[in-house]
Amino acid sequence: MNKIRLFSLAIAIAFSGINIHAGGLLTNTNQNIAFLRNPARDAAIGIDGIYTNPAGVAFLSEGWHLSINWQWAHQTRTINTAYGPLFSLNTTNPAPISSDGYAYRKFKGVADAPVIPSIQAAYNKGRWSFQGGIAVSGGGGKCEFDNGLGSFEGVVASIAQQLGMTGYSVNNFMRGKQYYFGFSLGAAYKVTDNLAVFGGARMLYGMAKYEGFVDNITLRGPLTMNQDVPATDVFRMLKEQYIAAGDMANAQRMGGLEEVTKGIYLDCDQKGIGIAPFIGVDYKIGKLNLAAKFDFKTRMRLKNTNHDQRFSTIANILVQSGSNTLLKYEDGNKVAEDSPALLTIGAQYEITDKWRIMAGYHHFFDVDTKQYYGSTLGDSQEVNIGTEYDITDKLQVSAGLQKTMYDMEDDFMSDISFNVSSYTFGFGAGIKVSPKVKINAAYFQTNYDTKNVTSNEGIVKNAYTRTNRVFGLGCDIDF
């Protein structure tokens, strides 16, 4: 019965690393509608530069500058999963076996964020620019898997096979949400008419909530007279058989699995605060503008508040079976979720008084961050290009492209938390409704690659992909 021990370990793994904040270590760079219109804003001069090019904000006119933004984002996360042919044993929803001998099932999560707000404000006086911003710097939505995840069902399918059963059923569900609210303050100074520098700090307030369950597990096969029987009853029967045989060690193990299969329920809140500096520089050479920014790593520790009374009992049972992964959600624990340092470099060139082109590069220092399960990934990189054109004095249009490249090891990928490389396009318009008021509107879409990962000596196959669509409206005011 050593194989039975794998069930408790697998259940723990199924709940380990639950991290549905926009996919892993992603930092939200879409903090203004100007970015949705054109992602290549790293060297642009505008009020949105409070995030993308803070030193360049010093070159705006004297007085107050305010930007108010609203975004609506719709994302999906899709994982096509197979645990060999085991999903075909599901008695309520069997998956067909493909020509390669695997039974694949599609698990799809939907994440909606109907309101993603941001505000940037600056006051320029003489050579100084005093700036502040509020935005959702990470996460920003809720992702819900109505039919749970493949790793959840795969656990039950595996134990059914290990017991020699011919069928199983399980009810599982997963929902997670995470928000990193960013609050920034800083000041830029024009050293010369062509050179400006910036220094400031950003505070991140992180909050998350995770809810999920695996319950109503049934097994069918020789041990149950080919009837659908609750898994708890099966383990109770095995426990009694071990007691009768005097094997108290295995009896105790079966008693633990009896308790586990009554249902695992996750209801955990996490909260934490981190502060880090960021700096910038902007230099103008005729019609060419160059800029760079560096955000230092933000150390984040999210403290758990767990609301389920049985959770600690289940976690301790799994610890006795050799796994402590579920302890990540124990009440009072502090979870490492650092936000990576970020270097951005950009250039903008004025072809004419009405037409501008721009390009940029982003480097996220993901490897240097500390996560609960350690860092097993490479740094992320982005490149972007864009253009902006003034059709009239009141109407401006822009568009741009961005390529995002992740360097993650296969071991870091799971159906609970994954990132895949992508390319993004955005376009939109700005309309001046008065000399001091400008309305921005934009559409922004990310197209993701599909990453295929095989694990457990070829038994488990996962194909990961996502979708992302954002619409935004904003208003820029000078006064």
Side-chain angles (χ1 to χ4, degrees), residues 190-221:
K190 286 193 290 185
V191 180
T192 70
D193 290 341
N194 296 325
L195 174 66
V197 294
F198 172 88
R202 179 176 291 109
M203 181 185 78
L204 295 182
Y205 173 69
M207 58 180 295
K209 185 173 183 66
Y210 301 111
E211 300 171 285
F213 58 79
V214 179
D215 63 8
N216 293 333
I217 302 170
T218 69
L219 299 172
R220 177 194 297 178

Side-chain angles (χ1 to χ4, degrees), residues 3 24 39 50 101 103 118 121 155 163-164 177 183 220 257 265 285 291 321 334 362-363 385 388 469 475:
K3 288 186 177 180
I50 287 177
S118 65
V155 166
L163 284 174
K177 62 180 179 180
F183 305 88
R220 177 194 297 178
L257 292 172
Y265 302 93
I285 310 173
S321 296
K334 291 187 177 180
H362 304 162
H363 189 107
I385 58 172
E388 187 175 70
R469 293 175 174 84
C475 181

Side-chain angles (χ1 to χ4, degrees), residues 6-287:
L6 295 176
F7 180 54
S8 58
L9 295 176
I11 286 285
I13 292 169
F15 273 109
S16 68
I18 293 174
N19 193 1
I20 310 182
H21 57 89
L25 297 180
L26 182 64
T27 300
N28 288 350
T29 52
N30 55 316
Q31 299 189 15
N32 191 284
I33 308 308
F35 178 87
L36 301 186
R37 288 174 47 187
N38 170 18
R41 296 288 297 177
D42 302 299
I45 304 297
I47 184 61
D48 64 297
I50 287 177
Y51 177 76
T52 54
N53 179 20
V57 177
F59 292 109
L60 295 178
S61 60
E62 285 204 353
W64 283 96
H65 304 273
L66 176 67
S67 182
I68 303 172
N69 302 272
W70 163 81
Q71 298 178 47
W72 171 82
H74 176 79
Q75 297 182 346
T76 65
R77 296 172 176 84
T78 303
I79 312 102
N80 204 25
T81 301
Y83 275 62
L86 297 186
F87 288 158
S88 65
L89 303 180
N90 190 309
T91 56
T92 58
N93 185 23
I97 298 179
S98 299
S99 57
D100 62 358
Y102 288 76
Y104 294 90
R105 191 184 304 286
K106 183 178 291 185
F107 297 87
K108 184 176 181 179
V110 177
D112 272 309
V115 180
I116 306 176
S118 65
I119 299 175
Q120 290 94 29
Y123 177 70
N124 286 9
K125 183 67 175 178
R127 292 190 174 273
W128 286 95
S129 174
F130 303 97
Q131 307 170 21
I134 302 173
V136 180
S137 298
K142 176 177 67 176
C143 188
E144 186 168 304
F145 289 82
D146 289 336
N147 297 316
L149 294 168
S151 57
F152 291 10
E153 181 174 344
V155 166
V156 179
S158 296
I159 192 58
Q161 181 195 45
Q162 291 164 14
L163 284 174
M165 309 300 274
T166 59
Y168 70 89
S169 67
V170 61
N171 186 30
N172 71 88
F173 171 83
M174 187 63 229
R175 175 169 59 211
K177 62 180 179 180
Q178 185 177 60
Y179 296 87
Y180 274 15
F181 296 99
F183 305 88
S184 66
L185 288 173
Y189 181 75
K190 286 193 290 185
V191 180
T192 70
D193 290 341
N194 296 325
L195 174 66
V197 294
F198 172 88
R202 179 176 291 109
M203 181 185 78
L204 295 182
Y205 173 69
M207 58 180 295
K209 185 173 183 66
Y210 301 111
E211 300 171 285
F213 58 79
V214 179
D215 63 8
N216 293 333
I217 302 170
T218 69
L219 299 172
R220 177 194 297 178
L223 290 175
T224 66
M225 304 295 290
N226 291 319
Q227 301 295 314
D228 293 327
V229 174
T232 53
D233 293 346
V234 175
F235 286 116
R236 185 183 305 114
M237 176 189 67
L238 293 172
K239 177 183 69 175
E240 292 170 353
Q241 290 177 358
Y242 279 122
I243 291 174
D247 188 346
M248 301 310 297
N250 273 321
Q252 183 179 3
R253 187 174 295 120
M254 294 304 103
L257 292 172
E258 176 190 353
E259 182 65 26
V260 168
T261 52
K262 290 178 181 177
I264 300 179
Y265 302 93
L266 177 65
D267 185 3
C268 181
D269 291 312
Q270 295 179 333
K271 293 181 181 179
I273 294 176
I275 300 176
F278 64 113
I279 56 177
V281 61
D282 187 283
Y283 185 63
K284 300 168 67 69
I285 310 173
K287 295 183 177 182

Side-chain angles (χ1 to χ4, degrees), residues 391-410:
I391 296 177
T392 69
D393 292 340
K394 294 183 178 181
L395 177 61
Q396 179 187 82
V397 294
S398 58
L401 297 170
Q402 179 169 280
K403 174 65 176 176
T404 301
M405 297 157 285
Y406 291 105
D407 185 21
M408 290 191 171
E409 298 178 7
D410 287 353

Side-chain angles (χ1 to χ4, degrees), residues 350-383:
E350 297 181 4
I351 296 177
T352 70
D353 292 341
K354 294 177 178 285
W355 186 16
R356 295 163 291 282
I357 58 173
M358 52 277 286
Y361 169 76
H362 304 162
H363 189 107
F364 296 87
F365 294 85
D366 294 329
V367 171
D368 295 330
T369 62
K370 184 174 182 180
Q371 306 296 312
Y372 185 83
Y373 293 105
S375 294
T376 59
L377 69 165
D379 289 341
S380 305
Q381 299 179 72
E382 293 177 334
V383 293

